[in-house]
């Protein structure tokens, strides 16, 4: 894979080196250890259809009840599963492993700053519960149910790890060789001479984040 980057008045060309198996292995670790987990339970006469969702601990239990339609009667089942919602970094890794060089910029500039935590949401829900008038029983019950669900979700995610360490490992697995460079003025001159737009044929990054460069080829 090649990566082109605009650096001032020069276009730099990098060869990108990485071990696909090692990055795929790291991606699995991120999914297992850094995903936000939500437990889903519902009753339906139709099986859930999953596309890109990451599902664990799936169970399907007959309820003994039925749902009648005009044309048929269907059995009702209770479906239960844990849905893993990995950080956006996993999607970027998928794009990168599929050969999309545009994902490199998003990986290099990935924001690993902490976001709102479950504890923040629990504290907010608790404050909202305390602000509800005592006589408003229904709203109290609704907010109490929300608090209970949040506490269960926190217990489900008690082993969730920070993405920081895994992100550092990912960056360490991607190496860049600066193999050549070309001035923008020279590129414009070549495009004018050939009457083609070469710069539209490749993705040229404007990122200010300089990639880790393994080696530099001297240009005569």
């Amino acid at each position: 894979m090649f990566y082109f980057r605009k650096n001032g008045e020069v276009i730099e060309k990098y060869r990108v080196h990485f071990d696909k198996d090692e990055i795929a292995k790291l991606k699995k670790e991120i999914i297992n250890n850094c995903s936000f987990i939500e437990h889903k339970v519902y009753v339906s006469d139709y099986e859930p259809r999953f596309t890109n969702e990451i599902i664990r601990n799936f169970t399907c239990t007959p309820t003994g009840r039925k749902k009648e339609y005009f044309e048929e009667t269907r059995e009702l089942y209770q479906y239960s599963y844990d849905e893993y919602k990995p950080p956006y970094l996993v999607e970027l890794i998928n794009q990168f492993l599929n050969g999309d060089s545009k994902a490199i910029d998003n990986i290099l500039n990935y924001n690993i700053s902490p976001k709102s935590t479950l504890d923040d949401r629990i504290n907010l829900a608790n404050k909202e519960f305390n602000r509800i008038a005592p006589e408003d029983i229904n709203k109290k019950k609704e907010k109490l149910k929300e608090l209970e669900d949040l506490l269960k979700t926190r217990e489900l995610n008690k082993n969730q790890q920070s993405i920081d360490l895994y992100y550092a490992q990912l960056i360490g697995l991607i190496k860049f060789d600066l193999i050549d460079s070309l001035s923008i003025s020279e590129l414009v001159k070549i495009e004018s001479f050939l009457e083609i737009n070469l710069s539209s044929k490749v993705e040229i990054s404007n990122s200010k984040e300089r990639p880790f460069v393994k080696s530099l080829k001297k240009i005569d």
Side-chain angles (χ1 to χ4, degrees), residues 125-137:
N126 189 51
K127 289 178 182 178
E128 291 172 344
F129 176 83
N130 292 329
R131 285 198 294 264
I132 298 173
E135 62 272 15
D136 200 339
I137 302 299

Side-chain angles (χ1 to χ4, degrees), residues 126-186:
N126 189 51
K127 289 178 182 178
E128 291 172 344
F129 176 83
N130 292 329
R131 285 198 294 264
I132 298 173
E135 62 272 15
D136 200 339
I137 302 299
N138 287 334
K139 281 191 176 180
K140 282 276 190 184
K141 287 181 178 179
E142 288 175 5
K143 188 56 65 174
L144 184 60
K145 177 65 168 60
E146 180 184 338
L147 266 169
E148 288 174 345
D149 290 343
L150 286 170
L151 288 169
K152 288 178 182 177
T153 302
R154 183 172 66 179
E155 177 64 20
L156 198 61
N157 287 273
K158 64 182 179 181
N159 295 320
Q160 186 188 42
Q161 299 177 20
S162 169
I163 193 69
D164 300 43
L165 179 61
Y166 297 96
Y167 177 70
Q169 290 181 48
L170 175 63
I171 294 300
L173 290 172
I174 305 173
K175 310 297 182 184
F176 296 84
D177 277 340
L178 178 58
I179 59 174
D180 214 335
S181 63
L182 180 69
S183 69
I184 293 175
S185 60
E186 188 68 20

Side-chain angles (χ1 to χ4, degrees), residues 16-76:
V16 185
H17 302 272
F18 59 95
D19 186 317
K20 193 170 185 177
D21 291 337
E22 283 295 317
I23 292 182
K25 179 182 175 183
L26 180 65
K27 185 188 77 170
K28 288 183 180 179
E29 292 182 18
I30 294 173
I31 291 172
N32 290 334
N33 300 325
C34 303
S35 291
F36 180 77
I37 308 170
E38 283 191 321
H39 185 63
K40 304 288 182 72
V41 180
Y42 68 94
V43 174
S44 176
D45 55 322
Y46 285 94
E47 290 187 12
R49 294 183 178 180
F50 303 117
T51 53
N52 297 322
E53 294 92 340
I54 299 171
I55 303 302
R56 306 279 172 83
N57 305 319
F58 179 86
T59 62
C60 171
T61 307
T63 64
R65 294 181 286 135
K66 298 181 180 181
K67 186 171 183 179
E68 294 186 0
Y69 294 92
F70 177 75
E71 68 281 1
E72 65 176 335
T73 300
R74 296 179 60 87
E75 299 285 343
L76 285 169

Side-chain angles (χ1 to χ4, degrees), residues 58-132:
F58 179 86
T59 62
C60 171
T61 307
T63 64
R65 294 181 286 135
K66 298 181 180 181
K67 186 171 183 179
E68 294 186 0
Y69 294 92
F70 177 75
E71 68 281 1
E72 65 176 335
T73 300
R74 296 179 60 87
E75 299 285 343
L76 285 169
Y77 294 88
Q78 178 175 286
Y79 298 100
S80 172
Y81 56 88
D82 294 330
E83 182 177 349
Y84 279 57
K85 298 181 178 180
Y88 181 55
L89 185 61
V90 168
E91 174 59 28
L92 296 178
I93 291 174
N94 286 334
Q95 294 172 15
F96 178 70
L97 292 178
N98 286 330
D100 186 355
S101 63
K102 291 184 290 186
I104 295 175
D105 275 349
N106 290 327
I107 290 174
L108 292 174
N109 294 282
Y110 189 75
N111 181 12
I112 59 173
S113 59
K115 299 176 177 60
S116 176
T117 66
L118 269 175
D119 286 338
D120 294 331
R121 292 168 60 187
I122 290 170
N123 290 335
L124 176 61
N126 189 51
K127 289 178 182 178
E128 291 172 344
F129 176 83
N130 292 329
R131 285 198 294 264
I132 298 173

